[in-house]
Amino acid sequence: MADVLALVEARLRDGLGEPDARAAVTFLGTDRVEVLRFPAESAGVVRYATLGMSAQPMADPTAVLADPVKGPRAELILSVRGGVADTDKVLRPLAVLAASPQVEGVVVAPGSSLDVGEPLWPGAPFTSVLVAEPGGLVADLELDEPMEPVRFLPLLPMTPNEAAWKRVHGAQALQERWLSKGTDLRDPLRAGVALD
């Protein structure tokens, strides 16, 4: 486990630079999850990445026994414009989301919705996120067989209305709506996209 996380952290540093802060959260009965903050680059975007979710493979919730080696592995990445809101308070909600495979037995994959039931940070209009396709910011990390690669999954904050619309129409339709309306998904205080 420690070896996997060391490789994951090295891959995060390769893709995002040096973190300027980190926080650790441990939930009863789960492994420790850290959240690393990567400072704003020239575009003013701050990135938060989980470290610890990939220590164990995600198990099919219907399986009688969880396979300790095989199964998908992932970490989560959230990108927001810095200096606009107190987004550093997202550390605990991100750790909660990263612990959800161990706590709730869910498999986090692109197209999934994850909800924390409260604002992601103070004043945030978002309580949930859409899990996007990996491969943009940080490349997949290949591990020795039979382990599956670690995928770095971007998170896109959703308003409650967007989350409800996504449940009906699907993740692809919501992403197309955001794109067609020119939605700035990194704006931590953005309004919900028009859904009519």
Side-chain angles (χ1 to χ4, degrees):
M1 178 185 95
D3 291 346
V4 169
L5 294 184
L7 293 170
V8 168
E9 183 167 354
R11 178 58 56 94
L12 284 169
R13 288 172 186 265
D14 286 348
L16 304 176
E18 286 299 311
D20 67 352
R22 65 195 307 147
V25 180
T26 305
F27 302 99
L28 189 63
T30 67
D31 296 326
R32 182 170 105 149
V33 174
E34 289 188 274
V35 179
L36 283 56
R37 184 182 72 181
F38 296 87
E41 74 254 343
S42 57
V45 174
V46 179
R47 303 194 195 281
Y48 301 91
T50 63
L51 179 63
M53 181 176 169
S54 61
Q56 307 292 332
M58 292 181 275
D60 180 341
T62 63
V64 177
L65 288 174
D67 190 309
V69 178
K70 293 182 183 175
R73 295 174 189 257
E75 296 291 353
L76 309 174
I77 300 176
L78 175 70
S79 302
V80 291
R81 207 160 305 294
V84 180
D86 189 9
T87 54
D88 282 351
K89 296 287 194 306
V90 78
L91 300 179
R92 183 168 178 78
L94 268 184
V96 167
L97 296 178
S100 62
Q102 286 185 61
V103 175
E104 300 171 25
V106 297
V107 175
V108 177
S112 301
S113 299
L114 302 172
D115 196 319
V116 293
E118 60 186 36
L120 294 175
W121 50 83
F126 320 106
T127 61
S128 62
V129 294
L130 175 65
V131 181
E133 291 290 336
L137 287 171
V138 181
D140 291 355
L141 173 65
E142 297 293 333
L143 299 174
D144 294 336
E145 292 286 339
M147 293 188 286
E148 293 185 27
V150 177
R151 302 169 84 198
F152 298 89
L153 303 172
L155 301 180
L156 308 174
M158 294 188 292
T159 66
N161 284 345
E162 289 169 340
W165 196 85
K166 181 255 176 193
R167 281 192 293 276
V168 174
H169 299 280
Q172 185 66 36
L174 178 58
Q175 289 179 296
E176 288 169 4
R177 178 62 57 106
W178 282 334
L179 190 60
S180 71
K181 301 290 184 182
T183 306
D184 180 3
L185 296 174
R186 294 176 176 171
D187 179 354
L189 297 175
R190 74 169 177 85
V193 71
L195 298 170
D196 50 11

